[in-house]
Amino acid sequence: MTHEPFTRRLFLERSLALASLAATVPCFIERSAMGMLGNPLLSSNPGVPDERILVVIQLGGGNDGLNTVIPYGADEYYRARPQLGVRGPGAAPQNGQQAALELANAQGIGLHPNLTGLRELYDRGALSVVQGVGYPNPNRSHFTSMDIWQTGRLDAKGSGWIGRYFDNTCNGTPIPEGAVAIGRAAPLAMQGDIQKPIAFENPSLFRWMGEDLHGAMKDPYDAINRAGAVGGAAPGSQREFLMRTALDAQIASERIRAAVARDPLVQYPQSGLARQLQTIGAMIRAEMPTRVYYASMGGFDTHAGQAGPHANLMRQLGDAVLAFQRDLEAQRNDARVATMVFSEFGRRVRQNASGGTDHGTAAPVFLVGPALRGGVVGNHPSLTDLDQGDLKYGIDFRSVYAALLEDWMKAPSEKILRGKFAKPVLFEGSAAKTGA
Amino acid sequence: MSNPLQPLAKKDFDYGAAQHLLNRAGFGGTPAQVQALVEMGLDDAVDYLVDFEGAKADAGDAAEFRSDIVRSETPAERETLRRARAAGDEETILRLQRERQARERSDREQLGLMQRWWLARMISTGRPLEEKLTLFWHGHFATGYRTIENSWHMLRQNAFLRANAAGNFADLVRGIIRDPAMLKYLDNDENRRRSPNENLARELMELFTLGEGNGYGERDIKEGARALTGFTFRDNDFVFNRDEHDPTPKTILGRTGAFGGDEFVSILLEQPVASRFIASKLYRHFVNDAPTPPKDAGDAVDRLAREFRSKRYEIRPVLRMLFRSRHFYAAENRLSVVKSPVQLMVQAIRSLGTPVREMGALVQAGDLMGQQLFQPPSVKGWDGGRSWINTATMFVRQNIVVYLVTGRRPAAFDWSPSELSYDTSPLLAHIRSGAGSVDPHEAVRALATFALGGPPAPERLAELDDFLGGLGGTVTEDRVKAMLCLIGAMPEYQLC
């Protein structure tokens, strides 16, 4: 029996050579060329890639928008929330609760006192607060509403909106590691018909477990999975497809694990979200081909005793996002990353009898990054003109998606969202075009 | 031109052919089970699998599932809620809401138990084709729990699909437009005379009978939707609501009459394209799901479609014809289907004889590989074929085999370690058979050939030979397990 005596080194060399032949290159060139037209902030650093990246942070359970962006100028807010209402900026602490951070005095809105991280970004013009985001006939089921947000469709059916972004921009060829979710399972939002996301909770475990069984397992496994097409597997055949995907998986695993093995350039706080963003930061720094990352945090379904737990969540969110942004700045990658923070719905205006709030409707969406225009977008929903005790939305969430797709990712939003949505002006330099 | 569906020559029904049949018409089997099929001969083996009523089904503990978790509010509850709202009694409103949420939680828990139950049934049933077809129809008449949020309705639909799995396709279609889960999933409970909802009518044509764009138009959908008005359900049962049914004439695919749902279905099934659509879907599931099918695939599908029509949509004759055909056993149709996640796991357990280990872990692995029972991604069902495979699912697929063989827990997925010991003696007996003493090279070849369902590439054999040689060359139980982990990590292991 003759066969080539493979060594680990040979595998590595071979995998790098093959990685550079990935079929995705033309797509990248095309899109980064498009990207350069749009944003003067980009392509100013020689050697830094221009591909734009979107990071999505999902707040699961329905984040209380009214205690995130505080309408301190409205008396109705305090009447509806006698215990839960957060005092306006400058007020003395009450029951350990600090006063809100100023956001826009003229509009009487502030930020939750624990969102100091977001406030710092706001001051630097790197945070846009989009107010009153929702959709018609709001659904108050966690699952359905989350599916509506993730599919970008009011019937909550079909593929995910990010998946369709990939499907519509890459001519039938999925990008390996194009969509990465940090978590056990990939969200529906990233599932396309062509593009499929990678999901892992801990990148060091995104690999074959069999090699832990015995030292002798590793080499034959590598030989099998890095050999590419063997045994006369014809091009285009099932076997050839599988052998190629197995090799891609080895390369992805290797790249991801190498990327996150490095120490970050900044210190991240200790929280689940911070760990996820640290992983994402490391992957961006390693110049992974990933275009969209997905992180998530839960615990926002605050039906009872909300004040303390929600304050903790706000602290974790603000601090993690700030650390992430500092990391990107230290990497000099901040200009090519935009981050969106959303939740499936906000909560009712009136607090309930258990010191909590029940499922509601419209809520703010945060967008982070130096490419954003910054500031407050849209009006705070009225606290008097309610729909069955819930806020009426002012901006359709699909309009926010449309702006991200068109003005950030340079993708055709109408096709992806299956409809035309008036885009809010979110990004620097996008105003002139939207005015037309 | 020769007929690809001509029966295979009896002498060609060898061990490999029998294993191929058992993998496709079921979820594979042990070496001894494959041998038993060989000894039956082609016709009896096919009949044994297709006429499965004689075999024992393992019904598991389905009887323990509850039908009353999800229910409409009682008049008393409605009255309490009305009064609480009027009085601004937040506490009572909250209590009622909590009770409803608790019911929803129990229902989701029941769905989780059902997922385990069905997977267990596939692992233990004596009628593998019955379960394989039930899963096929679940993907065809796809209905998702998350939309309907009623586990009992999903269970009822599952029982309906199973009862008709190898029966008559027309019965399946007529039953599905009366199935509460489907009626809810495709909004036909909202399909009223004065405000028709086209969802079910559209999918009935596009996905269930004719195929997208196959000779119908938007107008046929609108008219078909009117034929389906009033098809709804109350609690757990189908109801025909005469008041909501539109009795006026409709024109569907050129035929005019005061059609109802059954007439609509009949018109659809009279279209020759319907038999071809369903035959090609069966073909892709049972014969070959490569993007480029073999040259004579079109001819084979045409002949299956003709058989379907001449037997008035009876499913068994079509399957029998297929499973006996030369085409089914042709080299290009062996190992040409990508295993679904369910097939991957159930076949590993049934053929290699591994312990089942934690059923919850298997359900979770199925989810990570893209197949959650009772939860297809959309009304299109699972795309199948290559869509199962990507860089992320590849690791899960390789790791679930490690888990089944060794019980070692891939920590990323919280699968609990399993101490159940795996008795490899049937496999050892198989790979030792023929020769008195064990030749390591022959043993490796026999093991890989059996586990892969066909002869391995020389490169693969060389790797396994080297692996075994590096450990001293003797075939032991532990080394067989280690080699099974390596074989399970071979890209071609994903095919059956």
Side-chain angles (χ1 to χ4, degrees), chain A residues 75-87 94-95 349-352:
Chain A
D75 292 343
E76 299 84 4
Y77 171 67
Y78 297 103
R79 275 203 293 276
R81 299 186 162 202
Q83 281 82 42
L84 283 182
V86 178
R87 307 283 116 194
Q94 202 176 4
N95 308 325
V349 177
R350 272 172 65 93
Q351 67 175 74
N352 63 27

Side-chain angles (χ1 to χ4, degrees), chain A residues 149-169:
Chain A
W149 276 80
Q150 295 206 5
T151 56
R153 290 175 54 139
L154 299 185
D155 65 2
K157 285 177 183 166
S159 54
W161 73 280
I162 297 166
R164 289 198 303 275
Y165 153 71
F166 284 103
D167 289 355
N168 278 288
T169 50

Side-chain angles (χ1 to χ4, degrees), chain B residues 116-420:
Chain B
R116 296 169 192 217
W117 162 80
W118 191 9
L119 200 55
R121 183 170 177 142
M122 291 191 252
I123 291 167
S124 61
T125 182
R127 306 169 168 188
L129 182 59
E130 180 181 52
E131 295 309 317
K132 187 124 175 179
L133 282 167
T134 305
L135 183 56
F136 172 77
W137 295 122
H138 178 39
H140 183 76
F141 298 111
T143 307
Y145 170 75
R146 215 157 131 163
T147 304
I148 72 161
E149 293 189 318
N150 187 321
S151 61
W152 183 254
H153 288 181
M154 291 306 300
L155 191 72
R156 264 188 56 140
Q157 185 187 71
N158 183 254
F160 161 73
L161 296 176
R162 184 174 293 103
N164 293 278
N168 189 292
F169 180 65
D171 292 344
L172 276 163
V173 183
R174 292 207 174 88
I176 211 72
I177 62 168
R178 292 176 165 77
D179 176 68
M182 180 61 80
L183 291 168
K184 174 81 185 166
Y185 187 61
L186 293 183
D187 307 314
N188 212 68
D189 55 336
E190 310 270 327
N191 187 10
R192 304 194 174 94
R193 191 154 55 107
R194 286 180 208 292
S195 56
N197 185 304
E198 297 168 10
N199 210 1
L200 179 60
R202 178 182 302 279
E203 305 307 4
L204 193 55
M205 298 173 117
E206 177 177 326
L207 297 173
F208 301 162
T209 60
L210 302 180
E212 192 174 358
N214 278 343
Y216 62 92
E218 287 298 312
R219 226 194 119 134
D220 297 308
I221 294 172
K222 281 196 171 34
E223 298 283 289
R226 294 203 294 120
L228 288 169
T229 47
F231 275 58
T232 185
F233 65 97
R234 196 168 300 130
D235 297 327
N236 290 335
D237 297 301
F238 168 71
V239 171
F240 177 64
N241 186 343
R242 198 168 298 278
D243 295 342
E244 293 297 351
H245 181 69
D246 180 345
T248 61
K250 297 111 190 160
T251 300
I252 303 172
L253 296 167
R255 303 259 316 266
T256 302
F259 302 132
D262 286 332
E263 290 83 6
F264 180 27
V265 169
S266 296
I267 292 168
L268 295 177
L269 296 185
E270 278 162 21
Q271 311 297 314
V273 71
S275 58
R276 198 172 195 287
F277 174 67
I278 199 69
S280 72
K281 219 167 159 180
L282 283 168
Y283 183 91
R284 203 166 170 270
H285 193 75
F286 284 103
V287 184
N288 195 321
D289 63 18
T292 321
K295 276 197 303 292
D296 47 354
D299 187 22
V301 170
D302 284 338
R303 288 168 192 273
L304 291 173
R306 243 175 280 153
E307 176 76 358
F308 230 144
R309 277 200 301 281
S310 74
K311 295 286 167 25
R312 299 181 164 274
Y313 285 106
E314 284 293 319
I315 297 161
R316 276 201 171 86
V318 174
L319 292 177
R320 218 187 304 273
M321 176 184 254
L322 181 65
F323 293 148
R324 280 181 183 158
S325 71
R326 279 187 326 194
H327 186 76
F328 178 74
Y329 297 95
E332 67 265 33
N333 291 327
R334 304 273 182 105
L335 299 172
S336 57
V337 168
V338 178
K339 290 172 182 167
S340 70
V342 164
Q343 180 82 25
L344 175 74
M345 296 188 285
V346 178
Q347 187 177 322
I349 294 165
R350 289 186 73 129
S351 64
L352 306 179
T354 75
V356 175
R357 305 198 186 275
E358 267 294 304
M359 199 58 78
L362 302 187
V363 167
Q364 201 194 342
D367 186 13
L368 292 170
M369 292 184 279
Q371 192 173 33
Q372 227 184 332
L373 296 174
F374 302 111
Q375 198 66 274
S378 75
V379 66
K380 269 169 59 202
W382 293 282
D383 289 339
R386 294 187 184 183
S387 77
W388 292 125
I389 304 293
N390 59 56
T391 51
T393 58
M394 194 60 112
F395 284 115
V396 187
R397 284 174 166 256
Q398 295 178 338
N399 285 332
I400 194 68
V401 176
V402 174
Y403 174 71
L404 287 171
V405 168
T406 67
R408 286 288 283 267
R409 166 182 182 231
F413 311 121
D414 285 350
W415 299 340
S416 43
S418 159
E419 299 302 321
L420 295 169

Side-chain angles (χ1 to χ4, degrees), chain A residues 24-25 40 57 66 80 91 94 115 157 186 311 315 334 345 392 397:
Chain A
T24 52
V25 174
I57 300 175
L66 288 169
Q94 202 176 4
L115 290 174
K157 285 177 183 166
R315 168 66 61 204
D334 52 322
F345 43 60
K392 291 181 175 170
F397 73 105

Side-chain angles (χ1 to χ4, degrees), chain A residues 3 143 147 157 184 196 198 201 205 207 209 213 221 223-225 231 236-238 242 249 253 354, chain B residues 94 108 146 185 289-290 336 364 368 386 390-391 394-395 398-399 408 412 414 459-460 463 466 489 495:
Chain A
H3 78 286
F143 298 116
D147 285 357
K157 285 177 183 166
R184 184 177 296 175
K196 303 289 177 187
I198 292 179
E201 214 161 10
L205 299 169
R207 63 185 181 88
M209 299 296 154
L213 296 170
Y221 172 81
I224 287 164
N225 277 276
S237 66
Q238 303 279 58
L242 288 160
S253 163
S354 319
Chain B
L94 196 66
R108 285 197 290 276
R146 215 157 131 163
Y185 187 61
D289 63 18
S336 57
Q364 201 194 342
L368 292 170
R386 294 187 184 183
N390 59 56
T391 51
M394 194 60 112
F395 284 115
Q398 295 178 338
N399 285 332
R408 286 288 283 267
D414 285 350
E459 292 90 334
R460 303 295 197 233
E463 283 303 335
D466 276 8
L495 296 172

Side-chain angles (χ1 to χ4, degrees), chain A residues 60-62 139-147 301 303 344-345 347 359, chain B residues 146:
Chain A
N139 193 302
R140 289 169 185 78
S141 146
H142 291 293
F143 298 116
T144 310
S145 194
M146 190 56 96
D147 285 357
D301 196 18
H303 283 285
E344 73 267 34
F345 43 60
R347 308 191 76 82
H359 300 180
Chain B
R146 215 157 131 163

Side-chain angles (χ1 to χ4, degrees), chain A residues 184-201:
Chain A
R184 184 177 296 175
L188 173 60
M190 290 188 140
Q191 304 286 353
D193 290 331
I194 300 164
Q195 183 75 32
K196 303 289 177 187
I198 292 179
F200 49 82
E201 214 161 10

